[in-house]
Coordinates of all heavy atoms in Angstrom, one line a residue:
M81 N 170.5 206.4 -3.5 CA 171.1 205.8 -4.6 C 172.2 204.9 -4.1 O 173.1 205.2 -3.4 CB 171.8 206.8 -5.5 CG 172.6 206.3 -6.6 SD 173.5 207.5 -7.6 CE 172.5 209.0 -7.6
P82 N 172.0 203.5 -4.3 CA 173.0 202.6 -3.8 C 174.4 202.7 -4.4 O 174.5 203.1 -5.6 CB 172.4 201.2 -4.0 CG 171.4 201.5 -5.1 CD 171.0 202.9 -5.0
R83 N 175.4 202.4 -3.7 CA 176.8 202.4 -4.2 C 177.0 201.2 -5.1 O 176.5 200.2 -4.9 CB 177.7 202.4 -3.0 CG 179.2 202.4 -3.4 CD 180.0 202.7 -2.2 NE 179.5 202.2 -0.9 CZ 180.0 201.2 -0.2 NH1 181.0 200.6 -0.6 NH2 179.4 200.9 0.9
K84 N 177.8 201.4 -6.2 CA 178.2 200.3 -7.0 C 179.0 199.3 -6.3 O 179.8 199.7 -5.4 CB 178.9 200.9 -8.3 CG 178.1 201.7 -9.2 CD 178.9 202.1 -10.4 CE 178.1 203.0 -11.3 NZ 178.8 203.5 -12.4
A85 N 178.9 198.1 -6.6 CA 179.7 197.0 -5.9 C 181.1 197.0 -6.4 O 181.5 196.3 -7.2 CB 179.0 195.7 -6.2
T86 N 181.9 197.9 -5.8 CA 183.3 198.0 -6.2 C 184.2 197.4 -5.1 O 185.4 197.3 -5.3 CB 183.8 199.5 -6.4 OG1 183.6 200.2 -5.1 CG2 183.0 200.2 -7.5
G87 N 183.6 197.0 -4.0 CA 184.4 196.4 -2.9 C 185.0 197.5 -2.0 O 185.6 197.2 -1.0
E88 N 184.8 198.8 -2.4 CA 185.3 199.9 -1.6 C 184.2 200.4 -0.6 O 183.1 200.4 -1.0 CB 185.8 201.0 -2.4 CG 186.9 200.7 -3.3 CD 187.3 201.9 -4.2 OE1 187.9 202.9 -3.5 OE2 187.0 201.9 -5.4
S89 N 184.6 200.7 0.6 CA 183.7 201.3 1.6 C 184.1 202.7 1.9 O 185.3 203.0 1.8 CB 183.5 200.4 2.8 OG 184.8 200.3 3.4
Y90 N 183.2 203.4 2.5 CA 183.5 204.8 2.9 C 184.4 204.8 4.1 O 184.2 204.0 5.0 CB 182.2 205.5 3.1 CG 182.4 207.0 3.3 CD1 182.7 207.8 2.2 CD2 182.3 207.7 4.5 CE1 182.9 209.2 2.3 CE2 182.6 209.0 4.7 CZ 182.8 209.8 3.6 OH 183.0 211.1 3.7
H91 N 185.5 205.6 4.0 CA 186.4 205.6 5.2 C 186.1 206.8 6.1 O 186.1 207.9 5.6 CB 187.8 205.8 4.6 CG 188.9 206.0 5.7 ND1 189.2 205.0 6.5 CD2 189.6 207.1 6.1 CE1 190.1 205.4 7.5 NE2 190.3 206.7 7.2
W92 N 185.9 206.4 7.3 CA 185.5 207.5 8.4 C 186.8 207.7 9.2 O 187.3 206.8 9.9 CB 184.4 207.0 9.3 CG 183.1 207.0 8.6 CD1 182.5 206.0 8.0 CD2 182.2 208.1 8.5 NE1 181.2 206.4 7.6 CE2 181.1 207.7 7.9 CE3 182.3 209.4 9.0 CZ2 180.0 208.5 7.6 CZ3 181.2 210.3 8.7 CH2 180.1 209.8 8.0
D93 N 187.4 208.9 9.1 CA 188.5 209.3 10.0 C 187.9 210.2 11.1 O 186.7 210.5 11.1 CB 189.6 209.9 9.2 CG 189.2 211.1 8.5 OD1 188.1 211.7 8.8 OD2 190.0 211.6 7.6
H94 N 188.8 210.6 12.0 CA 188.3 211.3 13.1 C 187.7 212.7 12.7 O 186.7 213.1 13.2 CB 189.5 211.6 14.1 CG 189.0 212.3 15.4 ND1 188.2 211.7 16.3 CD2 189.3 213.6 15.8 CE1 188.0 212.6 17.3 NE2 188.7 213.7 17.0
A95 N 188.3 213.3 11.7 CA 187.8 214.7 11.3 C 186.4 214.5 10.7 O 185.5 215.3 11.0 CB 188.7 215.2 10.2
K96 N 186.1 213.5 9.9 CA 184.8 213.3 9.3 C 183.8 213.0 10.4 O 182.7 213.5 10.3 CB 184.8 212.2 8.3 CG 185.6 212.5 7.0 CD 185.6 211.3 6.1 CE 186.6 211.5 5.0 NZ 186.7 210.3 4.2
E97 N 184.2 212.1 11.3 CA 183.2 211.8 12.4 C 182.9 213.0 13.2 O 181.7 213.2 13.6 CB 183.8 210.7 13.3 CG 183.9 209.4 12.7 CD 184.5 208.3 13.6 OE1 185.1 208.7 14.6 OE2 184.3 207.1 13.3
T98 N 183.9 213.9 13.5 CA 183.7 215.1 14.3 C 182.7 216.0 13.6 O 181.8 216.5 14.2 CB 185.0 215.8 14.6 OG1 185.9 214.9 15.3 CG2 184.8 217.0 15.4
V99 N 182.9 216.3 12.3 CA 182.0 217.1 11.5 C 180.6 216.5 11.4 O 179.6 217.3 11.6 CB 182.6 217.3 10.1 CG1 181.6 218.0 9.2 CG2 183.9 218.1 10.1
F100 N 180.5 215.2 11.2 CA 179.2 214.6 11.2 C 178.5 214.7 12.6 O 177.3 215.1 12.6 CB 179.4 213.1 10.8 CG 178.1 212.4 10.6 CD1 177.1 212.9 9.8 CD2 177.9 211.2 11.3 CE1 175.9 212.2 9.7 CE2 176.7 210.5 11.1 CZ 175.7 211.0 10.3
L101 N 179.2 214.5 13.6 CA 178.6 214.6 15.0 C 178.1 216.0 15.3 O 177.1 216.3 15.9 CB 179.6 214.1 16.0 CG 179.7 212.6 16.2 CD1 180.8 212.3 17.2 CD2 178.4 212.0 16.7
E102 N 178.9 217.0 14.8 CA 178.6 218.4 15.1 C 177.3 218.8 14.3 O 176.4 219.5 14.8 CB 179.7 219.3 14.7 CG 180.9 219.3 15.7 CD 182.1 220.0 15.2 OE1 182.1 220.5 14.1 OE2 183.0 220.1 16.0
K103 N 177.2 218.3 13.0 CA 176.1 218.5 12.2 C 174.8 217.9 12.8 O 173.8 218.5 12.9 CB 176.2 218.0 10.8 CG 177.1 218.8 9.9 CD 177.2 218.2 8.5 CE 177.5 219.1 7.4 NZ 176.6 220.3 7.3
L104 N 175.0 216.6 13.3 CA 173.9 215.9 13.9 C 173.4 216.7 15.2 O 172.2 216.9 15.4 CB 174.3 214.5 14.3 CG 174.1 213.4 13.3 CD1 174.7 212.1 13.8 CD2 172.7 213.2 12.9
D105 N 174.3 217.0 16.0 CA 174.0 217.7 17.2 C 173.3 219.0 17.0 O 172.3 219.3 17.6 CB 175.3 218.0 18.0 CG 175.1 218.6 19.4 OD1 174.2 218.1 20.1 OD2 175.7 219.6 19.7
Y106 N 173.7 219.8 16.0 CA 173.1 221.0 15.7 C 171.7 220.8 15.2 O 170.7 221.5 15.6 CB 173.9 221.8 14.7 CG 173.3 223.2 14.3 CD1 173.5 224.2 15.2 CD2 172.7 223.4 13.1 CE1 172.9 225.5 14.9 CE2 172.1 224.6 12.8 CZ 172.2 225.6 13.7 OH 171.7 226.8 13.4
Y107 N 171.5 219.8 14.3 CA 170.2 219.5 13.7 C 169.2 219.1 14.8 O 168.1 219.6 14.8 CB 170.3 218.4 12.6 CG 169.0 218.2 11.9 CD1 168.7 218.9 10.7 CD2 168.1 217.3 12.4 CE1 167.5 218.7 10.1 CE2 166.9 217.1 11.8 CZ 166.6 217.8 10.6 OH 165.4 217.6 10.0
V108 N 169.7 218.2 15.6 CA 168.8 217.7 16.7 C 168.4 218.8 17.6 O 167.2 218.9 18.1 CB 169.4 216.5 17.4 CG1 168.6 216.1 18.7 CG2 169.6 215.3 16.5
A109 N 169.3 219.7 18.0 CA 169.1 220.8 18.9 C 168.1 221.8 18.3 O 167.3 222.4 19.0 CB 170.4 221.5 19.3
C110 N 168.1 222.0 17.0 CA 167.3 222.9 16.3 C 165.9 222.4 15.9 O 165.0 223.1 15.5 CB 168.0 223.5 15.0 SG 169.4 224.5 15.4
N111 N 165.8 221.1 16.0 CA 164.5 220.4 15.5 C 163.9 219.6 16.6 O 163.4 218.5 16.4 CB 164.9 219.5 14.3 CG 165.2 220.4 13.1 OD1 164.3 221.0 12.4 ND2 166.5 220.5 12.8
S112 N 163.8 220.1 17.8 CA 163.1 219.5 18.9 C 163.5 218.0 19.1 O 162.6 217.2 19.4 CB 161.6 219.6 18.7 OG 161.3 221.0 18.6
G113 N 164.7 217.7 19.0 CA 165.2 216.3 19.3 C 164.9 215.3 18.1 O 165.3 214.2 18.3
R114 N 164.4 215.8 17.0 CA 164.2 214.9 15.9 C 165.5 214.7 15.1 O 166.3 215.6 15.0 CB 163.1 215.4 15.0 CG 161.7 215.2 15.5 CD 160.7 215.8 14.7 NE 160.8 217.3 14.9 CZ 160.4 218.2 14.0 NH1 159.9 217.8 12.8 NH2 160.5 219.5 14.3
H115 N 165.7 213.5 14.6 CA 166.9 213.2 13.8 C 166.6 213.6 12.3 O 165.5 213.6 11.9 CB 167.2 211.7 13.9 CG 167.8 211.4 15.3 ND1 169.1 211.5 15.6 CD2 167.1 211.0 16.4 CE1 169.2 211.1 16.9 NE2 168.1 210.9 17.4
P116 N 167.7 213.8 11.6 CA 167.5 214.3 10.2 C 167.0 213.2 9.3 O 167.3 212.0 9.4 CB 168.9 214.6 9.8 CG 169.8 213.9 10.7 CD 169.1 213.8 12.0
P117 N 166.1 213.5 8.4 CA 165.5 212.6 7.4 C 166.6 212.3 6.4 O 167.7 212.9 6.2 CB 164.3 213.3 6.8 CG 164.7 214.8 6.9 CD 165.4 214.9 8.2
L118 N 166.3 211.2 5.6 CA 167.3 210.8 4.6 C 167.6 211.9 3.6 O 168.8 212.0 3.1 CB 166.8 209.5 3.9 CG 167.7 208.8 3.0 CD1 169.0 208.4 3.8 CD2 167.1 207.5 2.4
A119 N 166.6 212.7 3.2 CA 166.9 213.8 2.3 C 168.0 214.8 2.8 O 168.9 215.2 2.0 CB 165.6 214.6 2.0
T120 N 167.9 215.1 4.1 CA 168.9 215.9 4.7 C 170.3 215.2 4.7 O 171.3 215.8 4.4 CB 168.5 216.3 6.1 OG1 167.2 216.9 6.1 CG2 169.5 217.2 6.8
L121 N 170.3 213.9 5.0 CA 171.5 213.2 5.0 C 172.1 213.1 3.6 O 173.3 213.2 3.5 CB 171.3 211.8 5.6 CG 171.0 211.7 7.1 CD1 170.6 210.3 7.5 CD2 172.0 212.3 7.9
D122 N 171.3 213.1 2.6 CA 171.8 213.1 1.2 C 172.5 214.4 0.9 O 173.6 214.4 0.3 CB 170.6 212.9 0.2 CG 170.3 211.4 0.1 OD1 171.1 210.6 0.3 OD2 169.1 211.2 -0.2
S123 N 171.9 215.5 1.4 CA 172.6 216.8 1.1 C 173.9 216.9 1.9 O 174.9 217.4 1.4 CB 171.7 218.0 1.4 OG 171.4 218.0 2.8
W124 N 173.9 216.4 3.1 CA 175.2 216.3 3.9 C 176.2 215.5 3.2 O 177.4 215.8 3.2 CB 174.9 215.8 5.3 CG 174.2 216.7 6.2 CD1 173.6 217.9 5.9 CD2 173.8 216.4 7.5 NE1 172.9 218.4 6.9 CE2 173.0 217.5 8.0 CE3 174.0 215.4 8.4 CZ2 172.5 217.6 9.2 CZ3 173.5 215.4 9.7 CH2 172.7 216.5 10.1
A125 N 175.8 214.4 2.6 CA 176.7 213.5 1.9 C 177.4 214.2 0.7 O 178.5 214.0 0.4 CB 176.0 212.2 1.4
K126 N 176.6 215.0 0.0 CA 177.1 215.8 -1.1 C 178.2 216.8 -0.6 O 179.3 217.0 -1.2 CB 176.0 216.6 -1.8 CG 175.1 215.7 -2.6 CD 174.0 216.4 -3.3 CE 173.0 215.5 -4.0 NZ 171.9 216.2 -4.5
E127 N 178.0 217.4 0.6 CA 179.0 218.2 1.2 C 180.2 217.5 1.5 O 181.3 218.0 1.3 CB 178.4 218.9 2.5 CG 177.3 219.9 2.2 CD 176.7 220.4 3.5 OE1 177.5 220.5 4.5 OE2 175.6 220.8 3.5
F128 N 180.0 216.3 2.1 CA 181.2 215.4 2.5 C 182.0 215.1 1.2 O 183.2 215.1 1.2 CB 180.7 214.1 3.1 CG 180.6 214.3 4.6 CD1 179.6 215.1 5.2 CD2 181.5 213.6 5.5 CE1 179.5 215.2 6.6 CE2 181.4 213.7 6.9 CZ 180.4 214.5 7.4
N129 N 181.3 214.8 0.1 CA 182.0 214.3 -1.1 C 182.8 215.5 -1.7 O 183.9 215.3 -2.2 CB 180.9 213.8 -2.2 CG 180.3 212.5 -1.7 OD1 180.9 211.8 -0.9 ND2 179.1 212.3 -2.2
S130 N 182.2 216.7 -1.7 CA 183.0 217.8 -2.2 C 184.1 218.2 -1.3 O 185.2 218.7 -1.8 CB 182.0 219.0 -2.5 OG 181.5 219.5 -1.3
A131 N 183.9 218.1 0.0 CA 185.0 218.5 0.9 C 186.1 217.4 1.0 O 187.3 217.8 1.2 CB 184.4 218.7 2.3
Y132 N 185.8 216.1 1.0 CA 186.8 215.1 1.3 C 187.2 214.3 0.1 O 188.2 213.7 0.1 CB 186.3 214.2 2.4 CG 186.1 214.9 3.7 CD1 184.8 215.2 4.2 CD2 187.2 215.3 4.4 CE1 184.7 215.9 5.4 CE2 187.0 216.0 5.6 CZ 185.8 216.3 6.1 OH 185.6 216.9 7.3
G133 N 186.3 214.1 -0.9 CA 186.7 213.3 -2.1 C 186.7 211.8 -1.7 O 186.2 211.4 -0.7
G134 N 187.5 211.1 -2.5 CA 187.6 209.6 -2.3 C 186.3 208.9 -2.6 O 185.6 209.3 -3.5
V135 N 186.1 207.8 -1.9 CA 184.9 207.0 -2.2 C 183.7 207.8 -1.8 O 183.7 208.4 -0.7 CB 184.9 205.6 -1.3 CG1 183.7 204.9 -1.5 CG2 186.1 204.8 -1.7
P136 N 182.7 207.9 -2.7 CA 181.6 208.8 -2.4 C 180.7 208.3 -1.2 O 180.5 207.1 -1.1 CB 180.8 208.9 -3.7 CG 181.2 207.6 -4.4 CD 182.6 207.3 -4.0
A137 N 180.2 209.3 -0.5 CA 179.2 208.9 0.6 C 177.8 209.2 0.0 O 177.6 210.0 -0.8 CB 179.5 209.8 1.8
Y138 N 176.9 208.5 0.6 CA 175.4 208.7 0.3 C 174.7 208.9 1.6 O 175.2 208.7 2.7 CB 174.9 207.5 -0.5 CG 175.6 207.2 -1.8 CD1 176.7 206.3 -1.9 CD2 175.3 208.0 -2.9 CE1 177.3 206.1 -3.1 CE2 176.0 207.7 -4.1 CZ 177.0 206.8 -4.2 OH 177.6 206.6 -5.4
G139 N 173.5 209.3 1.5 CA 172.6 209.5 2.7 C 172.6 208.2 3.5 O 172.6 208.3 4.7
L140 N 172.5 207.0 2.9 CA 172.4 205.8 3.6 C 173.8 205.6 4.3 O 173.8 204.9 5.4 CB 172.1 204.6 2.7 CG 170.7 204.6 2.2 CD1 170.5 203.5 1.1 CD2 169.7 204.4 3.3
T141 N 174.9 206.0 3.8 CA 176.1 205.8 4.4 C 176.1 206.6 5.7 O 176.6 206.1 6.8 CB 177.3 206.4 3.5 OG1 177.2 205.9 2.2 CG2 178.7 206.1 4.1
L142 N 175.6 207.8 5.7 CA 175.5 208.6 6.9 C 174.5 208.0 7.9 O 174.7 208.0 9.1 CB 175.2 210.1 6.6 CG 176.2 210.8 5.7 CD1 175.7 212.2 5.5 CD2 177.6 210.7 6.1
Q143 N 173.4 207.5 7.4 CA 172.4 206.9 8.3 C 173.0 205.7 9.0 O 172.8 205.5 10.2 CB 171.2 206.4 7.4 CG 170.1 205.8 8.2 CD 169.4 206.7 9.1 OE1 169.1 207.8 8.8 NE2 169.1 206.2 10.3
Q144 N 173.7 204.8 8.3 CA 174.4 203.7 8.9 C 175.4 204.1 9.9 O 175.5 203.5 11.0 CB 175.0 202.8 7.8 CG 174.0 202.1 6.9 CD 174.7 201.5 5.7 OE1 175.9 201.8 5.4 NE2 173.9 200.6 5.0
K145 N 176.1 205.1 9.6 CA 177.2 205.6 10.6 C 176.5 206.1 11.9 O 176.9 205.8 13.0 CB 178.0 206.7 10.0 CG 179.1 207.2 10.9 CD 180.1 206.1 11.3 CE 181.2 206.6 12.1 NZ 182.2 205.6 12.4
K146 N 175.3 206.8 11.7 CA 174.6 207.3 12.8 C 174.1 206.2 13.6 O 174.2 206.2 14.9 CB 173.4 208.2 12.4 CG 172.6 208.8 13.5 CD 171.4 209.6 13.0 CE 170.3 208.8 12.4 NZ 169.4 208.2 13.4
D147 N 173.6 205.1 13.0 CA 173.1 204.0 13.8 C 174.2 203.2 14.5 O 174.0 202.8 15.6 CB 172.4 203.0 12.8 CG 171.1 203.6 12.2 OD1 170.6 204.6 12.8 OD2 170.6 203.1 11.2
I148 N 175.4 203.1 13.9 CA 176.5 202.4 14.5 C 177.0 203.2 15.7 O 177.2 202.7 16.8 CB 177.7 202.3 13.5 CG1 177.3 201.2 12.5 CG2 179.0 201.9 14.2 CD1 178.2 201.1 11.3
M149 N 177.1 204.6 15.6 CA 177.5 205.4 16.7 C 176.4 205.4 17.8 O 176.8 205.4 19.0 CB 177.7 206.8 16.2 CG 179.0 207.0 15.3 SD 179.4 208.7 15.0 CE 178.0 209.4 14.3
K150 N 175.2 205.3 17.5 CA 174.1 205.2 18.5 C 174.3 203.9 19.3 O 174.2 203.9 20.5 CB 172.8 205.2 17.8 CG 171.6 205.3 18.8 CD 170.3 205.5 18.0 CE 169.1 205.6 18.9 NZ 167.9 205.8 18.1
K151 N 174.6 202.8 18.6 CA 174.8 201.5 19.3 C 176.0 201.5 20.3 O 176.0 201.1 21.4 CB 175.0 200.4 18.3 CG 173.8 199.8 17.7 CD 174.1 198.7 16.8 CE 172.9 198.2 16.1 NZ 173.3 197.1 15.2
I152 N 177.1 202.2 19.8 CA 178.3 202.3 20.6 C 178.0 203.2 21.8 O 178.5 202.8 22.9 CB 179.5 202.9 19.7 CG1 179.9 201.9 18.7 CG2 180.7 203.3 20.6 CD1 180.9 202.4 17.7
Y153 N 177.3 204.3 21.6 CA 177.0 205.2 22.7 C 176.1 204.5 23.8 O 176.3 204.6 24.9 CB 176.3 206.4 22.2 CG 175.9 207.4 23.3 CD1 176.9 208.2 23.9 CD2 174.6 207.5 23.8 CE1 176.5 209.1 25.0 CE2 174.2 208.3 24.8 CZ 175.2 209.1 25.4 OH 174.9 210.0 26.4
K154 N 175.1 203.7 23.3 CA 174.2 203.0 24.2 C 175.0 202.0 25.0 O 174.8 201.8 26.2 CB 173.1 202.3 23.5 CG 172.0 203.3 23.1 CD 170.8 202.6 22.5 CE 169.7 203.5 22.2 NZ 168.5 202.8 21.6
G155 N 175.9 201.3 24.4 CA 176.8 200.4 25.0 C 177.7 201.0 26.1 O 177.8 200.5 27.2
W156 N 178.3 202.2 25.7 CA 179.1 202.9 26.7 C 178.2 203.4 27.9 O 178.7 203.3 29.0 CB 179.7 204.1 26.0 CG 180.3 205.1 27.0 CD1 179.9 206.3 27.3 CD2 181.5 204.8 27.8 NE1 180.8 206.9 28.2 CE2 181.7 206.0 28.5 CE3 182.4 203.8 27.9 CZ2 182.8 206.1 29.4 CZ3 183.5 203.9 28.8 CH2 183.6 205.1 29.6
K157 N 177.0 203.9 27.6 CA 176.2 204.3 28.8 C 175.8 203.2 29.6 O 175.7 203.3 30.9 CB 174.9 205.0 28.2 CG 175.2 206.4 27.6 CD 176.0 207.3 28.5 CE 175.2 207.9 29.5 NZ 176.0 208.9 30.4
A158 N 175.5 202.0 29.1 CA 175.2 200.8 29.9 C 176.4 200.4 30.7 O 176.2 200.1 31.9 CB 174.7 199.7 29.0
L159 N 177.5 200.4 30.1 CA 178.8 200.1 30.9 C 179.0 201.1 32.0 O 179.4 200.7 33.1 CB 180.0 200.1 29.9 CG 181.3 199.7 30.5 CD1 181.3 198.3 31.0 CD2 182.4 199.9 29.5
Q160 N 178.8 202.4 31.7 CA 179.0 203.4 32.7 C 178.0 203.2 33.9 O 178.4 203.3 35.1 CB 178.7 204.8 32.1 CG 179.8 205.7 32.1 CD 179.4 207.1 31.5 OE1 178.4 207.2 30.8 NE2 180.2 208.0 31.8
C161 N 176.8 202.9 33.6 CA 175.7 202.6 34.7 C 176.1 201.4 35.5 O 175.9 201.4 36.7 CB 174.4 202.5 34.0 SG 173.7 204.1 33.4
R162 N 176.6 200.4 34.9 CA 176.9 199.1 35.6 C 178.2 199.2 36.4 O 178.3 198.5 37.4 CB 176.9 198.0 34.6 CG 175.5 197.6 34.1 CD 175.6 196.3 33.3 NE 174.3 196.0 32.8 CZ 173.9 196.1 31.6 NH1 174.7 196.5 30.7 NH2 172.7 195.8 31.2
T163 N 179.1 199.9 35.9 CA 180.4 199.9 36.5 C 180.8 201.2 37.3 O 181.7 201.1 38.2 CB 181.6 199.6 35.5 OG1 181.6 200.8 34.6 CG2 181.4 198.4 34.7
G164 N 180.1 202.2 37.0 CA 180.5 203.5 37.7 C 181.6 204.2 37.0 O 182.1 205.2 37.5
L165 N 182.1 203.7 35.9 CA 183.2 204.3 35.2 C 182.7 205.6 34.5 O 181.6 205.7 34.1 CB 183.8 203.4 34.1 CG 184.5 202.1 34.6 CD1 185.0 201.3 33.4 CD2 185.7 202.5 35.5
G166 N 183.6 206.5 34.3 CA 183.3 207.8 33.6 C 184.4 208.1 32.6 O 185.4 207.3 32.5
Y167 N 184.3 209.2 32.0 CA 185.3 209.7 31.0 C 185.4 211.1 31.1 O 184.4 211.9 31.2 CB 184.8 209.3 29.6 CG 185.7 209.8 28.5 CD1 186.9 209.2 28.3 CD2 185.4 210.8 27.7 CE1 187.9 209.6 27.4 CE2 186.3 211.3 26.7 CZ 187.5 210.7 26.6 OH 188.3 211.1 25.6
D168 N 186.7 211.6 31.2 CA 187.0 213.0 31.2 C 187.6 213.4 29.8 O 188.7 213.0 29.5 CB 188.0 213.3 32.3 CG 188.3 214.8 32.4 OD1 187.7 215.6 31.7 OD2 189.1 215.1 33.3
P169 N 186.8 214.1 29.0 CA 187.2 214.5 27.7 C 188.4 215.5 27.7 O 189.2 215.6 26.7 CB 186.0 215.1 27.0 CG 185.1 215.5 28.1 CD 185.4 214.6 29.3
V170 N 188.6 216.2 28.8 CA 189.6 217.2 28.8 C 191.0 216.5 28.9 O 192.0 216.8 28.3 CB 189.4 218.2 30.1 CG1 190.6 219.1 30.2 CG2 188.2 219.0 29.9
T171 N 191.0 215.5 29.8 CA 192.3 214.8 30.0 C 192.3 213.5 29.1 O 193.4 212.9 29.0 CB 192.5 214.3 31.5 OG1 191.4 213.4 31.8 CG2 192.5 215.5 32.4
D172 N 191.2 213.2 28.5 CA 191.1 212.0 27.6 C 191.4 210.7 28.3 O 192.2 209.9 27.9 CB 192.0 212.1 26.3 CG 191.7 211.2 25.3 OD1 190.5 210.8 25.1 OD2 192.6 210.8 24.5
R173 N 190.8 210.6 29.5 CA 191.1 209.5 30.4 C 189.8 208.9 31.0 O 188.8 209.7 31.1 CB 192.0 209.8 31.5 CG 193.4 210.1 31.1 CD 194.3 210.4 32.2 NE 195.6 210.8 31.6 CZ 196.8 210.6 32.2 NH1 196.8 210.1 33.4 NH2 197.9 210.9 31.6
V174 N 189.8 207.6 31.3 CA 188.7 207.0 32.1 C 188.8 207.4 33.5 O 189.8 207.4 34.1 CB 188.8 205.5 31.9 CG1 187.7 204.8 32.7 CG2 188.6 205.1 30.4
I175 N 187.6 207.7 34.1 CA 187.5 208.1 35.5 C 187.0 206.9 36.3 O 185.9 206.4 35.9 CB 186.6 209.3 35.7 CG1 187.1 210.5 34.9 CG2 186.5 209.7 37.2 CD1 186.1 211.6 34.9
C176 N 187.6 206.5 37.3 CA 187.1 205.4 38.2 C 187.6 205.6 39.6 O 188.6 206.3 39.8 CB 187.5 204.1 37.6 SG 189.3 203.7 37.5
S177 N 187.1 204.8 40.5 CA 187.6 204.8 41.9 C 188.9 204.1 42.0 O 189.3 203.4 41.1 CB 186.6 204.1 42.8 OG 186.5 202.8 42.5
D178 N 189.6 204.3 43.1 CA 190.9 203.7 43.3 C 190.8 202.2 43.3 O 191.7 201.5 42.9 CB 191.6 204.2 44.5 CG 192.0 205.7 44.4 OD1 192.2 206.1 43.2 OD2 192.1 206.4 45.4
D179 N 189.6 201.7 43.8 CA 189.5 200.3 43.9 C 189.4 199.6 42.6 O 189.8 198.5 42.4 CB 188.2 200.0 44.7 CG 188.2 200.5 46.2 OD1 189.3 200.6 46.7 OD2 187.2 200.7 46.7
A180 N 188.8 200.3 41.6 CA 188.6 199.7 40.3 C 189.9 199.7 39.6 O 190.3 198.9 38.8 CB 187.6 200.6 39.5

């Protein structure tokens, strides 16, 4: 169901992204690496709407967010491979050689 043209877009904060990534990770792990279909994303969107309120999310909203995060991740992995940079989530810092 498309969103009405109100000019408002869904706001993703860190908490919503974290919950969404955890749901995706669990789904992919339990389904042999397959990504969730749109019907599953629609049910997740209903959960998001009841938990967070505000501008409503739809399955397509979550699908678009997944695609955007996938592009960002692929870009990060390409950068990591080309430069040798890394990331330490414990210290929240980029890892690199002293020369870099």
Side-chain angles (χ1 to χ4, degrees):
M81 175 184 329
R83 179 168 27 112
K84 292 181 181 177
T86 61
E88 297 181 70
S89 61
Y90 191 72
H91 174 70
W92 287 95
D93 59 16
H94 184 68
K96 291 177 190 175
E97 286 180 347
T98 302
V99 169
F100 183 53
L101 281 173
E102 288 172 354
K103 283 181 156 302
L104 274 175
D105 184 47
Y106 182 76
Y107 185 92
V108 170
C110 292
N111 291 283
S112 304
R114 285 177 282 155
H115 289 271
L118 191 56
T120 302
L121 293 175
D122 280 332
S123 68
W124 292 0
K126 289 177 185 175
E127 291 176 29
F128 272 68
N129 292 337
S130 64
Y132 297 108
V135 175
Y138 299 98
L140 288 176
T141 309
L142 302 183
Q143 179 70 39
Q144 290 169 348
K145 182 62 173 178
K146 181 180 76 75
D147 294 342
I148 290 168
M149 289 190 304
K150 187 175 181 179
K151 280 183 185 179
I152 292 169
Y153 178 76
K154 283 184 175 183
W156 168 250
K157 291 306 285 182
L159 182 65
Q160 244 182 338
C161 291
R162 288 190 180 106
T163 63
L165 294 176
Y167 176 73
D168 184 2
V170 174
T171 61
D172 196 29
R173 294 183 183 207
V174 174
I175 301 169
C176 63
S177 65
D178 291 336
D179 297 338

